[in-house]
Amino acid sequence: MCMFPASHAAQASRPSVEKREKMKYLSLIFFMSLLPQYAGKSLSGDGSHPKTFEDIKNEIAGYSDIAKAIIDLAVHGKAQNRSYERLAVFADTVGPRLSGLKNLDAAIKYMFSALQKDGLENVHLEPVKVPHWERGEEFAMMLEPRNHSIAILGLGSSVATPPEGITAEVIVVASFDELHRRAQEAKGKIVVYNQPFVSYGETVRYRSQGAVEAAKVGAVASLIRSIASFSIDSPHTGWQSYQSGIPRIPTACISVEDAEMMSRMSLRGTKIVVYLKMGARTYPDSPSFNTVAEIVGNKYPEQIVLVSGHLDSWDVGQGAMDDGGGAFISWEALSLIKDLGLRPKRTLRMVLWTGEEQGGVGAEQYYQLHKENISNFDIVMESDEGTFKPSGLAFTGNAKARDIIREIMALLLPINITDVFDNADGTDINYWMRDGVPGASLRDDLSKYFWFHHSQGDTMTVQDPNQMNLCAAVWTVVSYVIADMEEMLPRSFQEHKSCLRYSAISF
């Protein structure tokens, strides 16, 4: 029943409507005030008003002299060739550094001591667990149609053959599709994959899944053409994975030359018999460490600009290219900044990852330990695709952040390395980029990278001191300027939808 005439009822309800509108407005203002902590620092230094992009361009241009000083020191000055020389001593002293082995322990101890002697801050080790696999004795011989020694490298996590080895006929296929079409022929045989190299990203699935697919059709072992764009009878190793419920069979990579030879023989109808013996063994996970050093920020020390490379490698060659170069230009970045007497506003943190070759094992545990402070990570950077002649920086982030990175890269015009590419790449930083933290990786000349990748050829002979100087200059200028700018790089709201979803529900 209506207690008031209609006009009085409308007047009586008006204050409540106005109150609700006011509450919505206040809630919106409060909600908006929370967004900067999830989207990077978006206010100017004094908190008075947002900076325009023109303001940011002018701020970055002000780093021109510092960028030139970094370039001069790294490329022409006293630090010239330092990253190369440090890496040479390290690689020659320690050698390859496979997860779980004593060489990796020695490498970590070496770097911990070297970083302390270099005068860096907060040098420490963060404990993690890493896989421990050893290849043991390996041997392969073609018995028919003639005796021929086959160069092999067992793949990480492979099981061993029986002690007496395996002697079996070979079936050669060029793809998984061909394997499954010829499934009846494969039972009891050794599958040899002779897949063409298209790109690493596309072709590596034969290494990672080859044993599983061969086991599905009853094969007793698999030998996989190395994932390499060029070969001089050099097998290339790498990690592979088994699948629950599928028999685990021994698996190894062979050289491009041997894979193609057996393919030609097979196409001529020649019977091929191979003897394979592998002594691989998997042990319980081993203790290891991510190695950390810093230059602590002088204004926002809790905010982090992270530069990184991985310290572990495969157990062949010296691990100089993958990823000694990336690790040592990351160290060099901190050294150059320290040598110039610079201290950025934010903390510049170097992390040398462990267990990267097994899928970023050490980096994942670092992420789990530190992700509660994700809003303080300004950018994560990783160099893990060689330190050959650099062409620029690959970047993952929103459009506004990308525009800022372009302006920073313009500071490298004196060495003509200014390009910004899409999609940063790095196994160890992907965890952060998936959660919206901007990421960057060094882009360099990869034309010869897969000639040496995961092979005995990954030695200091591959490295060039002049190219490493340029890589170090790029890495240092970018990381320093980002760490010293007044504002953090902006992030999209979508990159923090879990946080925003909570806020929306709350209101």
Side-chain angles (χ1 to χ4, degrees), residues 134-156:
E134 298 185 22
R135 69 177 61 255
E137 179 189 4
E138 296 180 330
F139 178 77
M141 175 70 74
M142 186 171 71
L143 303 177
E144 294 183 34
R146 62 180 175 87
N147 284 352
H148 169 69
S149 179
I150 300 172
I152 67 168
L153 282 176
L155 293 177

Side-chain angles (χ1 to χ4, degrees), residues 195 197 200 203-204 206-207 224-229 236 450:
Q195 76 288 342
F197 181 88
Y200 186 76
T203 313
V204 74
Y206 286 92
R207 188 189 76 202
I224 299 156
R225 170 175 165 158
S226 288
I227 315 303
S229 55
H236 297 237
F450 292 106

Side-chain angles (χ1 to χ4, degrees), residues 27-337:
S27 296
L28 179 61
I29 293 298
F30 180 63
F31 175 69
M32 292 297 290
S33 73
L34 295 177
L35 292 181
Q37 65 180 300
Y38 301 122
K41 299 291 183 181
S42 62
L43 298 180
S44 62
D46 59 8
S48 58
H49 60 84
K51 277 192 173 185
T52 66
F53 184 64
E54 196 63 31
D55 293 332
I56 295 171
K57 285 178 65 175
N58 291 335
E59 181 186 8
I60 293 170
Y63 287 100
S64 177
D65 288 344
I66 289 177
K68 288 177 182 176
I70 291 170
I71 292 167
D72 286 344
L73 181 59
V75 179
H76 310 295
K78 291 182 179 179
Q80 183 186 51
N81 299 345
R82 182 170 62 187
S83 60
Y84 173 90
E85 290 164 359
R86 284 172 166 176
L87 176 58
V89 174
F90 171 79
D92 293 343
T93 301
V94 177
R97 309 166 296 279
L98 184 62
S99 166
L101 300 190
K102 291 181 179 179
N103 273 28
L104 179 57
D105 295 340
I108 292 169
K109 290 177 182 177
Y110 180 105
M111 289 307 303
F112 179 75
S113 175
L115 296 170
Q116 286 184 316
K117 289 178 182 177
D118 194 33
L120 300 178
E121 298 166 341
N122 293 340
V123 178
H124 65 279
L125 305 177
E126 298 190 7
V128 295
K129 289 283 191 177
V130 295
H132 180 183
W133 173 87
E134 298 185 22
R135 69 177 61 255
E137 179 189 4
E138 296 180 330
F139 178 77
M141 175 70 74
M142 186 171 71
L143 303 177
E144 294 183 34
R146 62 180 175 87
N147 284 352
H148 169 69
S149 179
I150 300 172
I152 67 168
L153 282 176
L155 293 177
S157 81
S158 176
V159 297
T161 62
E164 67 276 13
I166 294 172
T167 300
E169 188 176 344
V170 162
I171 176 174
V172 183
V173 298
S175 67
F176 289 144
D177 287 342
E178 182 183 355
L179 174 66
H180 292 294
R181 286 197 308 269
R182 301 174 62 191
Q184 293 302 316
E185 300 176 53
K187 188 173 182 180
K189 294 181 180 178
I190 295 173
V191 171
V192 169
Y193 292 95
N194 183 40
Q195 76 288 342
F197 181 88
V198 179
S199 68
Y200 186 76
E202 182 173 341
T203 313
V204 74
R205 62 196 179 105
Y206 286 92
R207 188 189 76 202
S208 59
Q209 304 168 29
V212 168
E213 296 305 314
K216 286 178 181 178
V217 295
V220 295
S222 64
L223 297 174
I224 299 156
R225 170 175 165 158
S226 288
I227 315 303
S229 55
F230 176 79
S231 177
I232 48 172
D233 199 30
S234 52
H236 297 237
T237 189
W239 198 251
Q240 66 91 39
S241 300
Y242 290 117
Q243 186 176 316
S244 179
I246 305 297
R248 299 187 172 202
I249 61 174
T251 183
C253 271
I254 60 175
S255 70
V256 171
E257 292 87 342
D258 281 340
E260 291 187 341
M261 179 184 69
M262 286 189 275
S263 177
R264 293 191 301 272
M265 289 177 171
S266 178
L267 289 172
R268 291 193 290 262
T270 302
K271 180 181 177 181
I272 306 168
V273 175
V274 164
Y275 170 75
L276 176 67
K277 185 174 183 181
M278 295 173 59
R281 186 172 176 183
T282 297
Y283 298 87
D285 286 355
S286 297
S288 189
F289 301 90
N290 292 316
T291 307
V292 183
E294 295 179 339
I295 293 176
V296 178
N298 64 15
K299 187 172 183 180
Y300 309 116
E302 75 284 358
Q303 295 173 11
I304 306 298
V305 168
L306 187 149
V307 295
S308 67
H310 65 86
L311 199 58
D312 68 303
S313 73
W314 277 100
D315 56 342
V316 290
Q318 290 182 304
M321 179 190 77
D322 183 18
D323 180 35
F328 274 67
I329 67 164
S330 295
W331 175 14
E332 186 67 12
L334 272 64
S335 290
L336 290 168
I337 290 167

Side-chain angles (χ1 to χ4, degrees), residues 153 227-232 234-237 314 316-322 388 446-459 461-463:
L153 282 176
I227 315 303
S229 55
F230 176 79
S231 177
I232 48 172
S234 52
H236 297 237
T237 189
W314 277 100
V316 290
Q318 290 182 304
M321 179 190 77
D322 183 18
F388 299 110
L446 288 177
S447 60
K448 296 181 180 179
Y449 182 79
F450 292 106
W451 294 15
F452 312 107
H453 181 250
H454 293 185
S455 78
Q456 292 285 8
D458 183 356
T459 68
T461 302
V462 175
Q463 299 298 120

